[in-house]
Amino acid sequence: MTSILSALGAGAGVDSKALVAELAASARENRDKMLLAKTTSNTAKISALASIGSALTEFATAFDIDAQDETVSTAKLLNEFVAGFNQVRGLIAGAVVPGASGALQGDPGLRAAAVALSRLPLEHLAGGATAQSLNDLGIATNRDGTLRIDRARLTAAIVADPMGVRAMLTAAGGLDTGLTAVRDMVTAKGGALDTSTARYTRIATGLAVEQARIEADNTRLIDRLTRSFSQMDRQVAMIKASQSYLTQQIAAWNSTNN
């Protein structure tokens, strides 16, 4: 016991507060690391959802403005649509990469957003005489969920029915309306992304409570260690004082007998 206490510095004038703080820090290190990892991942999830929602809102708003601008050609409007769609789809793909910080694979809100977007190219759009959907205009879906344009099919569709194709993009019941509906379904209060964000926000609250619990546990541990170490320090000091006294007495006795 004495050698262990000596190794800790008990009774040797060691700064007990610093020693106790070091012991407490060592005890909470793993808990802190685990909590930090969970907090970082959860924060990344919330940030990713916010970025996707913001990008979708910006995309739908910009497309809505351009769709009403008659100076923007139908082909250019579709190019902008595909570019904006692919940007949002790319953010969704990046958010579900396994192993990435804040990876959202399996998140129901994000999955609902991806499904809603994927349906757009096949949905019936009002206005066209022969073409009924983006797919009919040459807008096809790649294996990764992004879109591409078949230029020949698009040109043929525009030549055959220029006013109808334009109406498919701008009129009520057309792509403009459909994209706005997707945006609202995904980003509105109670929508797909909002529901997921609310869940991770609740998790963040729980992690904050856990952090407070760790702090409280650490404070109690420090108090307990401080009391224990102080008591041991006093006991060892008494033992050392007794040893010193006995050493002196034995030395005096030996001197007398010699």
Side-chain angles (χ1 to χ4, degrees):
M1 172 65 76
T2 301
S3 61
I4 295 176
L5 296 176
S6 298
L8 289 174
V14 171
D15 186 344
S16 60
K17 290 184 177 180
L19 178 58
V20 166
E22 182 177 347
L23 292 172
S26 177
R28 68 178 288 184
E29 183 177 2
N30 287 337
R31 292 180 69 185
D32 278 343
K33 285 182 178 179
M34 292 177 61
L35 185 61
L36 178 60
K38 290 179 180 179
T39 300
T40 299
S41 176
N42 195 67
T43 300
K45 287 180 171 67
I46 294 174
S47 178
L49 290 170
S51 295
I52 293 168
S54 177
L56 179 54
T57 297
E58 183 178 350
F59 166 41
T61 301
F63 182 81
D64 178 57
I65 292 173
D66 286 348
Q68 308 308 319
D69 186 352
E70 295 182 359
T71 65
V72 179
S73 70
T74 299
K76 185 174 186 299
L77 192 58
L78 280 171
N79 284 334
E80 291 180 356
F81 170 79
V82 169
F85 182 102
N86 287 346
Q87 179 185 8
V88 176
R89 193 65 186 78
L91 288 174
I92 292 175
V96 298
V97 175
S101 175
L104 286 161
Q105 65 266 30
D107 179 81
L110 197 63
R111 184 167 58 247
V115 170
L117 282 171
S118 69
R119 289 174 178 168
L120 272 174
L122 300 176
E123 285 190 359
H124 179 275
L125 304 178
T130 54
Q132 301 296 313
S133 67
L134 287 178
N135 189 253
D136 293 336
L137 299 180
I139 309 301
T141 303
N142 297 313
R143 293 184 64 181
D144 62 359
T146 58
L147 300 181
R148 67 180 185 277
I149 300 177
D150 183 327
R151 301 293 175 182
R153 287 186 65 187
L154 175 58
T155 299
I158 293 175
V159 169
D161 184 20
M163 298 301 292
V165 172
R166 183 72 183 194
M168 289 173 65
L169 307 181
T170 61
L175 180 57
D176 180 21
T177 303
L179 179 56
T180 299
V182 170
R183 177 201 64 192
D184 293 344
M185 184 274 287
V186 172
T187 65
K189 182 68 175 178
L193 297 187
D194 181 68
T195 300
S196 287
T197 299
R199 182 171 63 258
Y200 297 120
T201 299
R202 289 193 297 271
I203 291 174
T205 299
L207 291 173
V209 171
E210 178 63 19
Q211 180 65 57
R213 185 180 297 115
I214 289 176
E215 295 295 338
D217 289 348
N218 191 63
T219 298
R220 287 193 292 270
L221 177 60
I222 289 176
D223 290 343
R224 186 168 66 253
L225 287 175
T226 298
R227 289 193 300 270
S228 297
F229 189 86
S230 296
Q231 183 178 6
M232 288 189 297
D233 200 53
R234 287 193 298 271
Q235 290 174 344
V236 173
M238 292 174 61
I239 291 173
K240 287 187 175 181
S242 298
Q243 288 178 333
S244 177
Y245 173 77
L246 289 174
T247 299
Q248 292 174 2
Q249 291 300 310
I250 291 173
W253 181 78
N254 288 335
S255 175
T256 301
N257 284 288
N258 290 333

